[in-house]
Amino acid sequence: MTNQLIFPSTFLWGAATAAYQIEGAATEGGRTPSIWDTFSHTPGLTKLGHTGDVACDHYHRFREDIKLMTEMGLKSYRFSLSWPRIQPNGSGRANPEGVDFYQRLVDDLLENGIEPWVTLYHWDLPQPLQDAGGWPARDTAERFAEYAALSHHVLGDRVRYWTTLNEPWCSAFLGYGSGAHAPGLSDPEAAVKAGHHLMLGHGLAVQAIRDVRPDHELGITLNLYAVSPQQDTPADVDAARRIDGLANRFFLDPILRGEYPADVVEDLAKVTDFGHVREGDMEIISTPLSVLGINYYSRHVVAAPIEGVEPEPYWRAPSNWPGSEQVRFVTRGVPVTDMNWEIDAPGLVEVLERVHREYPEVPLYITENGAAFVDEVVDGEVDDVDRVAYFDAHLRACHTAIEAGVPLRGYFAWSLMDNFEWAWGYTKRFGMIHVDYDSQLRTPKSSARWYADVIRRNGLAAQ
Ligand code: FCB
């Protein structure tokens, strides 16, 4: 028997999506290709060659989707702007058709009493900016700030919540480190530089927006992990320190404290001398935030390299973990999702309490949390009990953190609906709403009804 749990009365209940994962209409309305169009159209890089060309066709069906959000009682909807739809080619004036699409979307949300929450960058860099060097090039940070100001100029009269970047770790280390994500490059030094320029772009964007509207809620979303050593040995503990350093502190420390963690700089010594960091950068990067978004999915359990086995030289092994390629990621045999990610709700409490304890206080939001499972449509229904259990456990974790004094202000489920799961294409389903990609039929799953009930009672029922 679990207890009924009630959340603070102002708690913001939402769901999240991202432009390239749902919009489709890739060549419509003046949109030009992003790195994800190029990547997904390159044979062999996404599962089954899937692309976001059509995705959930949300570009044409957004009103229907907002109706479904209304039925769920969502208080807020977090979505991202497609940079190449707003600013084709990544520079210059705004594209009126792109602006018009987002204004209609936002107006329809507001008319339905749903607070729009905009993410400016959820991974779809305009291809011409990649051709000019992408995130490893400093200029991309300036371009991003320009695009952020432009977007805020056309939507800032009706959108109050702004996230600069979604998960810069993925953009930097999956995009330029292992190459598992667009643009698909494997160059450890470029990955570290990309991480820096992403954060620089974030800081410049916050400054540009804050100059215009100091009252707006501005932040960044980081994908933070609980990290633990497989065993309590000095070598495994050091492996955990390295991975925590790259996954979490590489971003948290510059953004919230204005400095790179010294141990991480040391771990990266063979990869880069950090010569790309210029005077004044760290002040820009640590421009105070009004909110910090956290995406939480799982825990990393890691171990030291096996003795006697030579690690691949870093320049030969494409890795997400520059300078720490030799660390082993191990599984503990606990239940996993369809992504093979361990289900670990206590890890969420750990992450929230850690951020609260170790960094200057800032209001926190879970901007993504959710799980992929193999869903079956039976008689037009999807009874996704595993997803409900996942959400339930993680919301209980959120409640525990709030009770412990963590300033957690809201929660966004990932995702509103099934969508293009990046390199996995349409083979992984994270949605509370099932999407039939042939007919574009939407079917709310059990989790959608369950979440609607959570929102209605502002908490979890006793079980
Ligand atoms: C996050 C991404 C999101 C989605 C989920 C499953 O890393 O921000 O777009 O892919 O993972």
Side-chain angles (χ1 to χ4, degrees), residues 21 122-123 166-167 170 295 297 341 368 414 421-422 430:
Q21 296 182 275
H122 202 128
W123 307 353
N166 178 73
E167 302 188 353
C170 293
N295 291 355
Y297 287 95
W341 297 347
E368 284 178 31
W414 183 271
E421 178 48 35
W422 309 112
F430 274 90

